[in-house]
Each structure stands twice: as structure tokens, then as C-alpha cells.
Amino acid sequence: VSQSRYSTGTGNIYMKIPDKGSFNHFTHTTSSLEALSDSVNLNKTSCYVQAMHSMKTRLFFPGIQELARNKKIAIVDAKLVISPQDGTYDTFRRPNKLTALTLDENGTAIATKDAYEISDPASFGAEINSDGQYELQITRYLQGLAKSGAIDRGLDILRPGGAIYAERLVFNGPYATSNALYIKLKYIEIKN
């Protein structure tokens, strides 16, 4: 935009947009997400992810640290299983993929070690499978939490490419009455 092409008062702004350019504008309302401010349940039954709005769910895993407190373990395989809530994706399309980020010591979102195990960390994530669930690989992330003195900064579940795709997901939390969020976990105990 050239400053000489528009005035500083009210009126029109003229912008040159490339032939294949596009512009999107989205207006969001979170008024229907009543559980977000529920300090008693802390979103234990419903969790939310929405693209274009940067809404994500942050999960913590105190059970892993508790398990590793009394014995030395090696996590062989761990998958986070996420089940969409029935009836919540009639109007809005649910994402075909979810991913996870963690936080470094400065609070900056970074890819998990699981993402770096594949050739392209940007493609890391869980695609929706035939039974309608997402299974996100978190083996290395949980093994890191099992180490002595590890800090659980949380795992953010979000829609990759959220600036492009207008999708949302409401999924069952760990205390949902059916299809609750859970971890498929395989570990071995290491004897000294």
C-alpha cells in the first residue's frame, strides 16, 4: 500500500492485491462455550480446539510423574486418544488433523520430541481415523516427564494450519461419562 494512494481521513483505501490474492475475515463468538469459565470442573468433561481463533486445550499429565516417582520406568509407546463429542460437528466441520506443541522454559510453544522423530516435524499430528478418533503419538513427551525433576509445562492440542482452516472440535475430557480422553500406554519397569 502506497501512502500517496489513500487519505488519512475517512474514505476509501485503495490496495493493490495480486491476481491470485485473497482476503478472509472471521468474526468469532465464544458465548456458547459456557464451560470455559467453570472453575469447579476445569473443563474435565469438554475440551475445545478452534482454528482461526487460536483456541486450544492444554493438557497436563501428573499421573506419569506419580508413576515414575516410585519406580524407574521406560515408556515404550504412548498415544493420546481424543474422541469428538457427538452432535458437536453438525454445523462446523471437525479438523481432519490435530497436533501438539509443548512449551520451553521461556513459555514459547515448540514442537515435541515426538514430532522430530519423523522426517518433517511440520507434518506431525493425528489424523482422524476410521472410528472417528484421533490418536496422537506422545511417547517421547511422556518419557521426558518420567525423568526425575522434569517440569510438566503442558501439551497444547491444536489444529495445525489454524490460520487457513476454519474448523473446530469439541472433544471429551478425561472425566467425560463416555468416550473420555485417555492414553494408550505401554511401559517397562527398569530394575536396578
Side-chain angles (χ1 to χ4, degrees):
V1 176
S2 169
Q3 287 195 348
S4 63
R5 304 276 317 258
Y6 67 92
S7 68
T8 57
T10 60
N12 297 327
I13 297 175
Y14 299 96
M15 301 171 62
K16 183 177 181 179
I17 299 176
D19 292 338
K20 295 182 180 179
S22 64
F23 175 77
N24 294 324
H25 174 77
F26 295 90
T27 303
H28 298 282
T29 178
T30 57
S31 61
S32 64
L33 301 178
E34 71 285 339
L36 290 177
S37 62
D38 185 350
S39 62
V40 175
N41 292 320
L42 296 172
N43 303 100
K44 292 178 181 177
T45 58
S46 297
C47 302
Y48 306 91
V49 171
Q50 183 169 337
M52 298 284 187
H53 195 263
S54 300
M55 186 178 293
K56 60 191 172 204
T57 292
R58 181 166 293 159
L59 302 173
F60 295 91
F61 302 89
I64 296 299
Q65 292 179 320
E66 185 64 32
L67 177 67
R69 183 171 293 131
N70 300 323
K71 52 188 149 192
K72 191 171 184 179
I73 63 169
I75 297 176
V76 178
D77 188 42
K79 290 183 177 74
L80 181 66
V81 181
I82 297 171
S83 299
Q85 282 187 0
D86 291 334
T88 60
Y89 45 89
D90 297 334
T91 304
F92 297 96
R93 188 175 69 194
R94 62 184 169 181
N96 65 348
K97 189 172 190 175
L98 294 177
T99 194
L101 297 175
T102 188
L103 303 175
D104 66 10
E105 58 277 353
N106 300 316
T108 303
I110 58 171
T112 64
K113 290 181 179 180
D114 295 285
Y116 287 106
E117 295 232 330
I118 59 175
S119 60
D120 181 11
S123 68
F124 173 74
E127 294 186 7
I128 196 159
N129 60 26
S130 61
D131 61 0
Q133 295 178 325
Y134 303 87
E135 288 189 11
L136 189 61
Q137 186 70 257
I138 58 170
T139 306
R140 299 275 313 255
Y141 177 77
L142 293 185
Q143 182 60 49
L145 290 181
K147 293 180 182 175
S148 177
I151 298 171
D152 188 358
R153 293 187 174 90
L155 191 64
D156 290 345
I157 308 301
L158 57 128
R159 169 48 162 125
I164 301 168
Y165 303 102
E167 301 167 332
R168 76 166 196 177
L169 178 66
V170 180
F171 63 94
N172 293 315
Y175 291 91
T177 55
S178 65
N179 297 320
L181 177 74
Y182 69 96
I183 299 172
K184 289 182 182 178
L185 181 65
K186 295 178 186 175
Y187 71 92
I188 56 174
E189 186 175 348
I190 301 170
K191 301 288 185 182
N192 289 338

